[in-house]
């Protein structure tokens, strides 16, 4: 072994201390259980302040004859320590990676919590289809609020102050009494709103929810949906109305579209009519020279299905909405969306539409 005892008056290194430091480093390396523990071991045993590094720096100041032996001792020791560190680092890192992979493993073969997919409500699907038709013929879609003023729901639409539809039996009013507000009973007030907001000429379809003081049963509901059509322009006649309804019937029901008008009365149209479409389901759909199937469930053997009201917009309504009846004429119609769905998709009971059973939506709401 080299001479490492202090030379008188000169620097020296302590061989025992170096050997002990090497042993301590090797023991600490073997004892490190994680890469972060090992990191600390590296700092403590081969870092700048460690015994080995300090000794290494001291070598250059040793007397010449001691340098080689001290260099060998420290260099070899440090080399061994570094080698062990690297080997341990590799082993620990591999073990840690393996543990992490095991912990993060996703077993793709495990059964999942299958959430059944919902479906658009059939009324929504139908309403979209109706909107698409109107947009397709160049009309705009207009909407209005469901809580409406009684002026727009009745007065502006030329309803007599004594009109029975205003009664509490038919209409749901909004508290407090005398607020002048109600849940709209029809989409017709959107006609007035559209004329006031957009002016003439005007082609709008107004879909929306309406409310009436009805009990729910197979054919009635206190809440249902309508789509209102309104065209205001110069020189419009009932022929334009029938043409529009024919195109609508062809789009929604198919078959040979034939619209029939029967006289009726609505306060907001003059003349007013009830509109029927030729049955799209039985023989009657082939035209007027074909008889209806007497047992047809859609038309009841009459060959006709009742679709709603229509007419030429009353001059008083045009005036209430700021449109000059001398210059512009218009036609309007109102269709019940639930009724269309019932006829078109053979839905027998209106209650199915509000119960919220997803199977109903899945069955009727999927358009092919
Ligand atoms: N608003 C009417 C109702 O709810 C339906 C209706 C009839 C609308 C004739 C119209 C129309 O636009 O011209 O019963």
């Amino acid at each position: 072994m080299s001479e490492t005892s202090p030379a008188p008056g000169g620097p020296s290194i302590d061989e025992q201390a170096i050997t002990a430091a090497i042993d301590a480093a090797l023991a600490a390396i073997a004892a490190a259980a994680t890469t972060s523990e090992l990191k600390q071991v590296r700092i403590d045993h081969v870092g700048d302040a460690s015994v080995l590094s300090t000794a290494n720096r001291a070598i250059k100041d040793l007397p010449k004859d001691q340098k080689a032996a001290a260099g060998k001792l420290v260099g070899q020791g440090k080399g061994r320590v570094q080698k062990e560190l690297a080997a341990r680092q590799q082993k620990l890192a591999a073990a840690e990676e393996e543990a992490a992979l095991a912990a993060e493993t996703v077993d793709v073969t495990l059964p999942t919590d299958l959430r059944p997919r919902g479906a658009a409500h059939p009324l929504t699907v139908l309403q979209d289809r109706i909107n698409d038709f109107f947009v397709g013929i160049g009309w705009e879609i207009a909407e209005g609020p469901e809580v409406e003023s009684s002026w727009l729901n009745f007065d502006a639409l030329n309803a007599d102050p004594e009109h029975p539809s205003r009664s509490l039996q038919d209409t749901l009013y909004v508290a407090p009494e005398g607020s002048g507000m109600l849940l709209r009973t029809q989409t017709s007030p959107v006609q007035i709103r559209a004329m006031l907001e957009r002016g003439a000429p005007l082609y709008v379809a107004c879909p929306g929810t309406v409310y009436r003081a009805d009990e729910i049963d197979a054919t009635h509901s206190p809440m249902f949906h309508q789509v209102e059509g309104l065209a205001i322009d110069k020189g419009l006649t009932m022929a334009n109305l029938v043409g529009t309804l024919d195109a609508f019937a062809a789009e929604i029901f198919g078959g040979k579209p034939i619209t029939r008008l029967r006289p009726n009365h609505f306060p907001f149209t003059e003349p007013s009519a009830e509109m029927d479409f030729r049955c799209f389901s039985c023989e009657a759909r082939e035209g007027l020279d074909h008889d209806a199937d007497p047992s047809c469930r859609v038309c009841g053997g009459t060959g006709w299905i009742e679709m709603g009201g229509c007419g030429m917009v009353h001059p008083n309504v045009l005036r209430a909405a700021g449109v000059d009846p001398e210059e512009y004429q218009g036609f309007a119609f109102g269709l019940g969306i639930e009724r269309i769905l019932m006829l078109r998709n053979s839905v027998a009971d209106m209650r199915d539409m509000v119960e919220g059973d997803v199977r109903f939506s899945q069955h009727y709401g999927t358009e092919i």
Side-chain angles (χ1 to χ4, degrees):
M1 245 318 142
S2 55
E3 172 61 73
T4 56
S5 54
S12 69
I13 59 168
D14 179 345
E15 188 182 338
Q16 266 182 356
I18 299 295
T19 310
I22 292 167
D23 289 346
L26 294 176
I29 291 168
T34 64
T35 50
S36 59
E37 276 179 39
L38 193 65
K39 193 172 170 193
Q40 192 56 45
V41 169
R42 175 177 284 119
I43 293 168
D44 292 344
H45 293 272
V46 290
D48 277 355
S50 65
V51 173
L52 288 176
S53 295
T54 311
N56 204 30
R57 284 195 298 274
I59 292 172
K60 66 178 188 323
D61 298 325
L62 287 177
K64 244 186 181 154
D65 60 339
Q66 291 179 23
K67 270 189 187 168
K72 193 172 163 202
L73 174 68
V74 175
Q76 279 184 351
K78 220 176 164 190
R80 243 180 97 197
V81 171
Q82 294 285 22
K83 207 171 138 199
E84 285 303 312
L85 269 172
R88 187 82 182 139
Q89 168 70 26
Q90 202 178 29
K91 203 170 159 193
L92 289 176
E96 280 170 16
E97 188 176 330
E98 203 165 306
L101 286 176
E104 290 163 19
T105 298
V106 176
D107 183 351
V108 292
T109 65
L110 284 176
T112 56
D113 271 346
L114 266 188
R115 280 164 200 260
R117 285 219 287 163
H121 195 281
L123 286 172
T124 310
V125 175
L126 179 58
Q127 205 162 72
D128 286 350
R129 200 184 175 111
I130 291 173
N131 289 353
D132 284 350
F133 163 76
F134 284 110
V135 170
I137 61 168
W139 292 32
E140 290 177 87
I141 304 297
E143 286 181 316
E146 291 169 25
V147 177
E148 185 57 283
S149 72
S150 86
W151 186 77
L152 284 168
N153 194 82
F154 290 125
D155 303 82
L157 288 164
N158 201 35
D160 195 86
E162 304 303 320
H163 198 277
S165 63
R166 295 185 187 240
S167 84
L168 288 172
Q169 257 147 33
D170 283 327
T171 298
L172 296 159
Y173 285 89
V174 172
E177 206 179 320
S179 69
M181 300 299 283
L182 43 74
L183 295 183
R184 66 178 178 193
T185 62
Q186 50 189 354
T187 42
S188 305
V190 190
Q191 288 189 19
I192 309 289
R193 289 178 173 275
M195 282 190 269
L196 288 171
E197 281 163 22
R198 305 177 193 210
L202 180 68
Y203 292 84
V204 284
C206 323
T209 312
V210 301
Y211 300 85
R212 302 221 180 141
D214 263 332
E215 294 289 325
I216 189 156
D217 64 23
T219 52
H220 294 87
S221 165
M223 185 197 95
F224 56 102
H225 301 82
Q226 292 184 331
V227 61
E228 191 83 11
L230 175 72
I232 305 285
D233 211 331
K234 289 180 181 165
L236 289 181
T237 70
M238 284 189 103
N240 301 110
L241 167 64
V242 171
T244 306
L245 295 175
D246 278 349
F248 179 84
E251 169 69 20
I252 301 299
F253 295 111
K256 273 209 189 97
I258 300 169
T259 304
R260 177 177 82 172
L261 300 185
R262 287 176 290 120
N264 199 349
H265 172 76
F266 294 102
F268 32 86
T269 38
E270 180 58 38
S272 299
E274 199 67 38
M275 55 184 158
D276 299 338
F277 290 166
R278 192 73 180 152
C279 180
F280 60 89
S281 178
C282 69
E283 270 295 287
R285 70 175 183 277
E286 298 298 339
L288 292 173
D289 48 354
H290 285 71
D291 289 336
D293 175 353
S295 61
C296 177
R297 282 193 298 163
V298 173
C299 67
T302 64
W304 296 98
I305 47 181
E306 291 177 19
M307 283 314 304
C310 61
M312 299 304 290
V313 181
H314 197 292
N316 287 350
V317 173
L318 293 175
R319 269 191 286 270
V323 174
D324 180 1
E326 298 300 322
E327 198 182 355
Y328 286 102
Q329 295 74 47
F331 64 81
F333 53 89
L335 297 155
I337 297 181
E338 276 79 356
R339 182 162 166 74
I340 295 176
L341 183 69
M342 291 175 96
L343 290 165
R344 185 175 182 273
N345 297 59
S346 306
V347 178
D349 196 320
M350 213 151 156
R351 284 167 293 201
D352 290 337
M353 298 183 202
V354 292
E355 266 164 10
D357 187 330
V358 74
R359 289 170 300 179
F360 175 78
S361 293
Q362 279 159 340
H363 184 71
Y364 290 104
T366 311
E367 291 272 313
I368 302 162

